[in-house]
């Protein structure tokens, strides 16, 4: 009954069910076409058991809760990142993830803090994201070597082409740009009529040779030290951190490991419902198509029925329905990672990502936190513990409200700088605050 | 698309693409595929229900909290029985000819005070049925039952005359004495049976051939049973003293000039 490729867009396939259309309002760059080979699937973070406090020392672990581990342990960020802007209390670390980007020489870690007070919810300042960079010397060396080699090869090719051009007797000075404006100066036979190296490649070389120096330049200015700098002096372009946070003072939840897996949408079946009971109706499907409306069983006639848009219950909109169906394939997912992809919205809403605070560039989506986190972390218990209020049992509504404590969200979308900027000295660890866009439940 | 679930797994460590084997010290690997039927709540109410903080559906009804997850209803009312009333093809005229979809009507109830009605259109019968069942669960409503005569035994009929209307179809439910059974057309009779109403007279008006509207009218009428304010639901009034009684001492004094 179910097609193997649920995301096939062919309308002609009458078997494709309504629920298998792309679940995001904007077409996601990666995960909508499952047949595309270059599409990168969304990565899911699934809970994977407890992390003991004694083992919670590795900066490369992706985890929920626990205490924040810094890339440079003696250079923590300012404590303002761990304080809620509204109530000025300490926030809880909810997520820490090691998220290096491909082709980047930096160790990269993301931290997400959330205030555990219900009164701070639905206001800006209670969700904070920090991105931390630290350059990785070996990776950097390997990258530089690769680039050096590439450059040498390209320079060699360029030389060869120059020689070839001169051999063809082109009177003018050799200019890359004039290659295909060949009518201008050359004879009727185009010197590169059958270009040995291919025209597009020339363009590439030209571009890379101009783009390269900036990166290579930058990296060549780097000098590698064997020991990390122990001074806390930071260059003037980056604000000095005068109130470094002491991680041992922060309140924390018990940590849990997160296991990373790719999203697998193959189990997008009947979503748990046993449709075999209705076999009678399923078999009737073909007959129903030709059924004469007036001849029905039971002697009753249903007339005047037309297509009816389904009435969604209060508080549910189409996007929420898609959200639920998408995560039903993997209900325990805690986070979805898709650098540059489209987020899975909790309900239909326009997202304003804003600009990067440190470099002014655009922001792009990186990952989002899912509601299962609230079921895993003991947010309500910790919040109730902190307020020390006796639960009033007389008024039922007050009782219900007494359970509505702690942090709440539908999903948290994290947007980061598109260019992955690194303020300050390249060798130093850097901290940049990124944006968290929170979608709450409606109603 | 052909990769299995294990091909893309990264284990513990980072989300980073293109960097293998960094990070993820410690402990156990993941023994994958535990029970997938575990419900993971996505809404506030769902989390409260799963944690057991809410004891019954009635508490949700009391505060009119919107129910967005059908598993909440499954949790409180495990004995719900669903019944597909009708599946019919509906057609839409497009430039490329007719487009046929299936419309499914599903009624769900536990024959003891809760009913739900769901209607869903879809290109496939299975999807329509599944969607209609979910919508029916999300629309479950409590039914108030009462007595025709003396309040002896369990309530068996509607507490008063109630009516519901949808389109031009109107359905009126009238209390009936015990043993009458449900006096109604076959289609609304099913709805009333699943609601747990044992005896009832019905009257209908309007185009009852549009059975879709007729069923919705009956459902609306059943829903109105709890919307009707009867004297036993009046609040106890605190009687204050009448002014003459309250100031009787002052009044008994002779009037001064």
């Amino acid at each position: 009954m179910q097609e193997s490729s649920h995301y096939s867009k062919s309308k002609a396939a009458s078997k494709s069910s309504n629920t298998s259309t792309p679940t995001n309002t904007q077409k996601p760059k990666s995960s909508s076409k499952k047949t595309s080979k270059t599409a990168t699937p969304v990565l899911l973070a699934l809970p994977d058991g407890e992390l003991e406090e004694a083992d919670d020392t590795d900066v490369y672990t992706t985890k929920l809760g626990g205490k924040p581990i810094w890339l440079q342990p003696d250079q923590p960020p300012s404590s303002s990142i761990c304080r809620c802007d509204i109530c000025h209390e300490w926030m809880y670390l909810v997520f820490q993830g090691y998220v290096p980007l491909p082709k980047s020489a930096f160790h990269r870690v993301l931290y997400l803090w959330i205030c555990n007070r219900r009164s701070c919810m639905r206001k800006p300042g209670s969700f904070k994201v920090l991105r931390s960079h630290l350059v990785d010397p070996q990776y950097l060396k390997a990258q530089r070597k690769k680039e050096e080699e590439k450059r040498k090869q390209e320079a060699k090719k360029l030389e060869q082409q120059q020689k070839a051009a001169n051999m063809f007797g082109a009177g003018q000075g050799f200019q890359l740009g004039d290659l295909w404006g060949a009518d201008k100066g050359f004879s009727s036979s185009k010197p590169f009529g059958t270009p040995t190296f291919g025209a597009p490649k020339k363009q590439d070389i030209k571009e890379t040779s101009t783009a390269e120096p900036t990166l290579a330049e930058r990296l060549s200015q780097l000098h590698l030290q064997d020991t990390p700098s122990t001074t806390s002096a930071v260059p003037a372009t980056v604000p000095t951190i005068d109130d470094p946070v002491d991680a041992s003072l922060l309140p924390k939840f018990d940590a849990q490991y997160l296991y990373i897996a790719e999203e697998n949408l193959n189990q997008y079946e009947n979503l748990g419902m046993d449709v075999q009971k209705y076999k009678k109706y399923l078999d009737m499907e073909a007959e129903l198509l030709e059924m004469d409306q007036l001849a029905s069983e039971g002697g009753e006639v249903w007339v005047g029925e037309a297509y009816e848009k389904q009435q969604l219950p209060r508080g549910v909109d189409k996007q929420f329905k898609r959200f639920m169906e998408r995560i039903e394939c993997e209900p325990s997912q805690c986070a979805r990672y898709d650098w540059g992809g489209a987020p899975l919205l909790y309900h239909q809403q326009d997202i304003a990502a804003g600009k990067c605070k440190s470099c002014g560039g655009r922001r792009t989506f990186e990952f989002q936190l899912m509601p299962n986190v609230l079921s895993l972390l003991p947010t309500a218990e910790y919040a109730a513990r902190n307020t020390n209020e006796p639960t009033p049992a007389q008024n039922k509504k007050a009782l219900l409200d007494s359970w509505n404590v702690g942090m709440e969200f539908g999903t948290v979308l994290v947007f980061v700088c598109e260019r992955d900027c690194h303020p300050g000295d390249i060798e130093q660890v850097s901290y940049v605050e990124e944006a968290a866009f929170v979608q709450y439940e409606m109603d | 698309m052909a990769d299995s679930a294990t091909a893309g797994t990264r284990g513990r460590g980072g989300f980073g693409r293109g960097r293998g084997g960094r990070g993820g010290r410690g402990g156990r690997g993941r023994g994958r595929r535990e029970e997938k039927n575990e419900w993971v709540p996505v809404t506030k109410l769902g989390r409260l229900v799963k944690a057991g903080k809410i004891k019954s559906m009635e508490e949700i009804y009391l505060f009119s909290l919107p129910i967005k997850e059908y598993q909440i209803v499954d949790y409180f009312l495990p004995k719900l029985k669903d019944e597909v009333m009708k599946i019919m093809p509906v057609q839409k005229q497009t430039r490329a000819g007719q487009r046929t979809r299936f419309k499914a009507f599903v009624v769900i109830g536990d024959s003891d005070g809760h009913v739900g009605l769901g209607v869903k259109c879809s290109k496939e019968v299975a999807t329509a049925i599944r969607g209609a069942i979910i919508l029916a669960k999300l629309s479950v409503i409590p039914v108030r039952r009462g007595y025709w005569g003396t309040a002896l035994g369990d309530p068996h009929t509607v507490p008063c005359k109630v009516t519901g209307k949808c389109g031009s179809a109107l359905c009126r439910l009238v209390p009936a004495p015990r043993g009458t059974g449900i006096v109604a057309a076959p289609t609304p009779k099913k709805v009333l049976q699943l609601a747990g109403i044992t005896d009832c007279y019905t009257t209908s008006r309007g185009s009852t051939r549009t059975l879709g509207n007729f069923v919705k009218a009956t459902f609306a009428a059943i829903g109105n049973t709890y919307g009707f304010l009867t004297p036993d639901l009046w609040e106890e009034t605190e009687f204050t003293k009448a002014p003459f009684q309250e100031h009787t001492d002052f009044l008994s004094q002779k009037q001064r000039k």
Side-chain angles (χ1 to χ4, degrees):
Chain A
M1 176 66 111
Q2 297 294 328
E3 255 195 338
S4 51
S5 158
H6 285 275
Y7 281 74
S8 123
K9 299 281 283 161
S10 60
K11 286 255 155 91
S14 62
K15 292 263 180 172
S16 72
S17 61
N18 267 347
T19 50
S20 66
T21 47
T23 55
N24 298 326
T25 47
Q26 9 152 341
K27 211 73 62 83
K29 290 186 220 153
S30 45
S31 47
S32 83
K33 297 262 188 218
K34 284 183 64 75
T35 47
S36 145
K37 283 276 190 285
T38 56
T40 43
V42 176
L43 292 177
L44 300 179
L46 307 161
D48 196 16
E50 280 178 27
L51 169 55
E52 302 287 327
E53 198 167 328
D55 295 332
D56 190 8
T57 50
D58 190 2
V59 70
Y60 300 125
T61 326
T62 303
K63 64 184 184 212
L64 283 181
K67 60 179 194 284
I69 312 289
W70 315 116
L71 278 170
Q72 196 82 287
D74 49 356
Q75 283 184 296
S78 159
S79 61
S80 64
I81 195 78
C82 306
R83 275 200 192 276
C84 172
D85 284 345
I86 305 161
C87 63
H88 304 292
E89 295 288 333
W90 292 119
M91 301 202 286
Y92 285 79
L93 178 73
V94 169
F95 174 86
Q96 174 179 337
Y98 176 65
V99 286
L101 293 175
K103 302 198 190 111
S104 162
F106 292 108
H107 287 300
R108 190 162 172 274
V109 182
L110 279 171
Y111 307 86
L112 173 59
W113 281 277
I114 307 181
C115 183
N116 202 21
R117 242 157 268 265
R118 184 53 63 105
S119 50
C120 294
M121 293 294 115
R122 299 180 192 252
K123 296 181 200 145
S126 42
F127 287 73
K128 293 209 183 148
V129 183
L130 185 70
R131 167 170 63 91
S132 172
H133 267 183
L134 182 63
V135 72
D136 177 14
Q138 282 98 351
Y139 199 88
L140 189 56
K141 253 203 288 194
Q143 221 183 14
R144 280 178 63 198
K145 246 202 314 193
K146 258 200 281 182
E147 277 160 13
E148 276 295 315
E149 285 183 22
K150 224 176 28 168
R151 246 194 327 167
K152 283 202 207 118
Q153 276 187 4
E154 282 152 14
K156 242 198 286 183
K157 280 198 199 127
L158 211 60
E159 275 187 48
Q160 286 180 3
Q161 280 159 10
Q162 278 188 350
K163 283 203 207 121
N166 292 338
M167 281 189 339
F168 273 113
Q172 346 275 81
F174 181 77
Q175 280 173 28
L176 273 175
D178 274 352
L179 246 196
W180 29 92
D183 318 317
K184 285 197 198 144
F186 298 107
S187 48
S188 54
S189 67
K190 284 212 283 201
F192 291 98
T194 50
T196 343
F197 305 111
K201 207 142 171 241
K202 271 291 157 74
Q203 185 106 46
D204 264 2
I205 293 170
K206 180 181 180 191
E207 281 173 6
T208 47
S209 60
T210 50
E212 276 254 282
T214 42
L215 181 61
E217 241 170 55
R218 229 171 153 225
L219 295 172
S220 61
Q221 281 164 12
L222 213 52
H223 59 277
L224 305 168
Q225 296 178 346
D226 285 1
T227 57
S229 64
T230 48
T231 61
S232 54
V234 282
T237 49
V238 167
T240 47
I241 296 170
D242 46 1
D243 53 345
V245 63
D246 184 359
S248 56
L249 293 179
L250 298 175
K252 61 185 197 289
F253 295 123
D254 291 332
Q256 300 194 22
Y257 280 115
L258 283 177
Y259 173 86
I260 317 293
E262 278 178 9
E263 185 174 31
N264 177 11
L265 292 166
N266 287 336
Q267 268 94 9
Y268 211 58
E269 326 143 358
N270 288 326
L271 301 181
M273 206 143 290
D274 175 26
V275 218
Q276 286 318 307
K277 297 197 282 182
Y278 311 104
K279 211 165 160 7
K280 180 175 87 151
Y281 295 102
L282 302 181
D283 296 338
M284 263 173 70
E285 182 170 350
E287 300 166 27
L288 279 170
L289 279 172
E290 299 116 32
M291 198 170 87
D292 186 344
Q293 284 236 11
L294 295 179
S296 73
E297 353 104 349
E300 277 184 324
V301 175
W302 289 60
V303 298
E305 292 299 336
Y307 175 74
E308 192 180 309
K309 261 181 100 99
Q310 73 174 31
Q311 278 215 311
L312 290 166
R314 204 177 106 213
V316 176
D317 68 350
K318 242 182 157 208
Q319 181 57 39
F320 182 71
K321 198 162 140 326
R322 285 191 210 124
F323 179 91
M324 291 226 289
E325 281 165 8
R326 189 87 184 260
I327 72 175
E328 219 158 323
C329 302
E330 189 57 68
S332 59
Q333 56 186 264
C334 293
R336 298 171 66 87
Y337 184 92
D338 193 12
W339 165 270
L344 184 63
L345 297 176
Y346 195 70
H347 55 80
Q348 193 44 43
Q349 195 174 14
D350 291 323
I351 310 289
K355 300 227 175 284
C356 175
K357 275 193 207 151
S358 81
C359 72
R362 269 191 327 178
R363 282 205 172 119
T364 174
F365 172 70
E366 179 153 15
F367 80 97
Q368 67 184 110
L369 210 64
M370 305 300 274
N372 188 25
V373 170
L374 292 173
S375 313
L376 290 173
L377 295 176
T379 54
E381 282 89 345
Y382 277 50
R385 221 173 41 184
N386 287 342
T387 53
N388 287 345
E389 266 173 45
T391 55
Q394 56 288 45
N395 189 0
K396 279 225 154 171
K397 186 78 162 97
L399 185 57
L400 204 63
D401 285 338
S402 73
W403 293 321
N404 284 338
V405 289
M407 59 178 82
E408 66 141 330
F409 57 83
T411 186
V412 184
L413 310 172
V414 173
F415 291 88
V416 296
C417 175
E418 207 174 34
R419 292 186 242 156
D420 199 32
C421 62
H422 182 100
D425 191 8
I426 208 163
E427 274 179 65
Q428 295 285 332
V429 71
S430 78
Y431 297 102
V432 178
E433 188 175 342
E434 301 287 9
F437 189 89
V438 188
Q439 284 197 300
Y440 296 98
E441 277 176 50
M442 294 194 299
D443 268 1
Chain B
M1 234 226 40
D3 27 331
S4 63
T6 49
T9 54
R10 279 183 188 129
R12 291 173 177 178
F15 277 117
R17 302 167 198 269
R19 294 243 183 130
R22 269 225 244 189
R25 319 281 162 244
R28 356 172 303 229
R30 197 96 209 262
R32 282 306 289 139
R33 297 305 105 163
E34 336 93 7
E35 344 73 57
K36 274 196 68 176
N37 299 327
E38 188 74 44
W39 164 43
V40 170
V42 153
T43 55
K44 236 184 330 194
L45 186 62
R47 280 191 284 271
L48 287 177
V49 165
K50 184 113 191 270
K53 297 278 170 59
I54 302 193
K55 298 289 178 277
S56 71
M57 279 295 271
E58 272 56 47
E59 292 187 16
I60 301 181
Y61 291 140
L62 183 60
F63 302 118
S64 304
L65 301 170
I67 301 178
K68 301 180 200 168
E69 297 184 85
Y70 70 90
Q71 293 96 336
I72 296 176
V73 177
D74 276 337
Y75 180 88
F76 288 123
L77 304 169
K79 292 205 270 310
L80 280 177
K81 263 175 10 94
D82 49 68
E83 177 156 355
V84 176
M85 307 251 310
K86 181 79 178 165
I87 302 190
M88 53 193 307
V90 291
Q91 290 181 333
K92 175 177 169 171
Q93 192 72 288
T94 60
R95 260 181 309 189
Q98 311 253 6
R99 179 169 63 175
T100 307
R101 276 193 261 215
F102 296 103
K103 189 165 176 179
F105 289 83
V106 170
V107 174
I108 198 169
D110 65 348
S111 305
D112 197 21
H114 298 96
V115 249
L117 172 68
V119 178
K120 173 103 173 107
C121 268
S122 180
K123 280 187 271 208
E124 279 179 30
V125 172
T127 320
I129 294 180
R130 188 188 76 215
I133 293 179
I134 294 181
L135 284 174
K137 286 189 183 163
L138 290 174
S139 72
V140 164
I141 217 166
V143 180
R144 186 174 187 207
R145 290 158 295 170
Y147 301 95
W148 173 83
T150 43
L152 198 63
D154 281 336
H156 58 104
T157 184
V158 277
C160 55
K161 295 178 191 171
V162 287
T163 176
K165 191 164 160 38
C166 178
S168 74
L170 181 140
C171 178
R172 187 188 200 208
L173 306 176
V174 172
R178 225 178 266 276
T180 321
I182 301 179
V183 180
T187 316
K189 183 168 179 169
K190 268 187 246 168
V191 182
L192 291 167
Q193 278 171 337
L194 283 172
I197 296 175
T198 329
D199 312 288
C200 190
Y201 292 124
T202 59
T203 303
S204 53
R205 201 202 140 85
S207 172
T208 54
R209 286 182 69 201
T210 50
L211 279 158
N213 283 348
F214 194 24
V215 166
K216 287 191 204 158
T218 317
F219 185 67
I222 296 177
N224 284 338
T225 55
Y226 259 120
F228 199 101
L229 183 65
T230 54
D232 50 338
L233 291 175
W234 291 347
E235 263 182 32
E236 274 295 328
T237 45
E238 292 274 319
F239 290 111
T240 55
K241 282 188 157 178
F244 295 141
Q245 208 178 358
E246 196 180 333
H247 303 290
T248 177
D249 306 325
F250 175 74
L251 290 171
S252 65
Q253 292 167 6
K254 283 180 78 127
Q255 223 186 14
R256 281 173 268 227
K257 274 277 189 315

